[in-house]
Amino acid sequence: MPKFLLMDHDGAIDDLLSQLLVLTMPDVDLIGITVTPADCYIEPALESTYKLLQLMGREDIPIGRGDYNGINAFPNEWRARPEIINALPLLINLPPSPDPYACLSAPDLIIEKLSGAADQVTVLMTGPCSNLVLALEKAPELKGKIDEVIWMAGAFRTQGNVQTFQHDGTAEWNVFWDPISSQKLLSYELPLTLIPLDVTNQVPVTKAFLSRLATQIDYTLSNLTGQLWALTIDTIPSYHYTYFMWDILATSYLAMPGQFTTEVVKATVSTRPPNAGQTCLDESGYPLTIATGVNTTYFYDYLLAQFKR
């Protein structure tokens, strides 16, 4: 029986690539997508989300609109990327998307889908966790309907990727955007697996991978994903950052959990400067699972095979 899945993403290139990857998985039944206005502006991100559903013939999947804005905003230049994505040749001439203001609110869609699911639901988050936390604050009885939460988040034994004023660089962006909700999520003690920077640092977007993907250009998904990844080359200045497969690695965990090494730890989230959003190993904290390694060869080969469908 396919695994019921709710996906919450925040509209960036790697989030949209993750959405495409989910839609290639035969053992996953995607029952809803919610979008958080974190690493995106919400209207173009909702349009991108819908266009990808159109491309895959899955317009039946409902989309929820996140209206909660976190504590620490992503840089504006990162948030504007969906505007470019919507103009790509494979997407620009698709039929118009629905009114972005007509979408159900993200927490309400999560509540609706958890309530109505015939079985437990896996939740995949490739952006901040705020929409899920808002939903569970409103309907705490639905915690029992969650089979597992998989979240691309955190940095435990490695440096964070937040570089901004009044911060010491220890946090990862998805946690830093809303550290208070992040700490709440840990406190719920759900079956929670984090795919942190510790493991995503092992899977950069390399020219060698893009070259292999380009040999599959006659396949629609390889063509589109190649264009999307090419846009990441200058998304953030290469002298400042390396673009990694953050979200798509977390998404691949759905299909290949056995290719990851994991560890059960106890952790907390700092909610105040100078290390707001830092995920701290703490024996007095909350139990969760973190990924510490991945079979990188298997992972890259898996992506190439999925996008050749």
Side-chain angles (χ1 to χ4, degrees):
M1 180 177 175
K3 176 184 297 187
F4 291 127
L5 180 73
L6 274 171
M7 181 178 188
D8 188 292
H9 70 64
D10 66 339
I13 290 173
D14 50 341
D15 297 88
L16 297 167
L17 285 160
S18 296
Q19 179 185 326
L20 281 172
L21 183 60
V22 165
L23 292 168
T24 71
M25 295 179 178
D27 296 329
V28 170
D29 184 358
L30 184 57
I31 60 174
I33 301 173
T34 50
V35 183
T36 298
D39 199 7
C40 69
Y41 291 105
I42 191 66
E43 290 82 9
L46 290 170
E47 182 180 354
S48 300
T49 299
Y50 186 76
K51 281 179 178 289
L52 296 186
L53 291 178
Q54 283 185 308
L55 190 73
M56 301 295 284
R58 292 305 314 273
E59 300 97 319
D60 59 296
I61 297 173
I63 301 171
R65 176 192 174 103
D67 287 311
Y68 172 80
N69 289 288
I71 296 167
N72 301 299
F74 275 78
N76 287 341
E77 58 270 27
W78 298 3
R79 299 180 69 193
R81 299 305 280 186
E83 293 279 16
I84 299 170
I85 293 162
N86 292 330
L88 290 175
L90 284 168
L91 301 179
I92 192 168
N93 289 325
L94 290 175
S97 302
D99 178 0
Y101 297 97
C103 294
L104 198 63
S105 81
D108 287 346
L109 182 64
I110 292 170
I111 290 169
E112 177 185 295
K113 290 301 175 181
L114 287 177
S115 301
D119 202 350
Q120 285 191 305
V121 176
T122 298
V123 178
L124 169 68
M125 298 186 298
T126 58
C129 66
S130 311
N131 285 331
L132 178 62
V133 170
L134 288 167
L136 294 178
E137 284 186 335
K138 194 171 180 179
E141 70 279 5
L142 293 177
K143 292 174 189 175
K145 293 297 293 284
I146 295 175
D147 181 52
E148 182 180 17
V149 177
I150 301 165
W151 186 21
M152 191 279 113
F156 290 89
R157 300 185 181 102
T158 191
Q159 182 73 1
N161 61 2
V162 170
Q163 298 183 26
T164 190
F165 299 104
Q166 294 187 307
H167 200 278
D168 64 7
T170 56
E172 180 275 323
W173 264 103
N174 284 343
V175 184
F176 177 64
W177 191 77
D178 186 1
I180 292 173
S181 290
S182 301
Q183 173 70 347
K184 284 180 182 177
L185 180 65
L186 267 60
S187 75
Y188 293 158
E189 298 192 28
L190 295 164
L192 175 61
T193 299
L194 263 57
I195 312 297
L197 299 185
D198 308 57
V199 63
T200 63
N201 285 347
Q202 300 173 29
V203 287
V205 178
T206 66
K207 292 284 186 68
F209 172 78
L210 295 182
S211 179
R212 290 177 67 193
L213 183 62
T215 67
Q216 304 178 177
I217 197 170
D218 290 340
Y219 295 88
T220 299
L221 288 185
S222 292
N223 190 334
L224 179 58
T225 57
Q227 292 179 41
L228 290 171
W229 265 308
L231 290 173
T232 70
I233 299 300
D234 72 342
T235 298
I236 41 187
S238 59
Y239 60 82
H240 202 83
Y241 279 104
T242 299
Y243 202 97
F244 294 93
M245 296 193 182
W246 299 287
D247 296 344
I248 208 159
L249 182 65
T251 303
S252 76
Y253 184 83
L254 291 166
M256 45 178 265
Q259 301 300 321
F260 287 77
T261 54
T262 60
E263 180 182 349
V264 177
V265 300
K266 290 185 177 180
T268 57
V269 175
S270 173
T271 58
R272 60 182 62 177
N275 65 328
Q278 181 183 8
T279 44
C280 308
L281 296 173
D282 182 349
E283 278 304 312
S284 63
Y286 302 102
L288 65 149
T289 299
I290 62 172
T292 57
V294 64
N295 182 336
T296 56
T297 299
Y298 188 100
F299 167 69
Y300 286 120
D301 288 347
Y302 172 74
L303 293 185
L304 291 168
Q306 290 302 106
F307 292 137
K308 202 173 180 179
R309 286 173 174 266

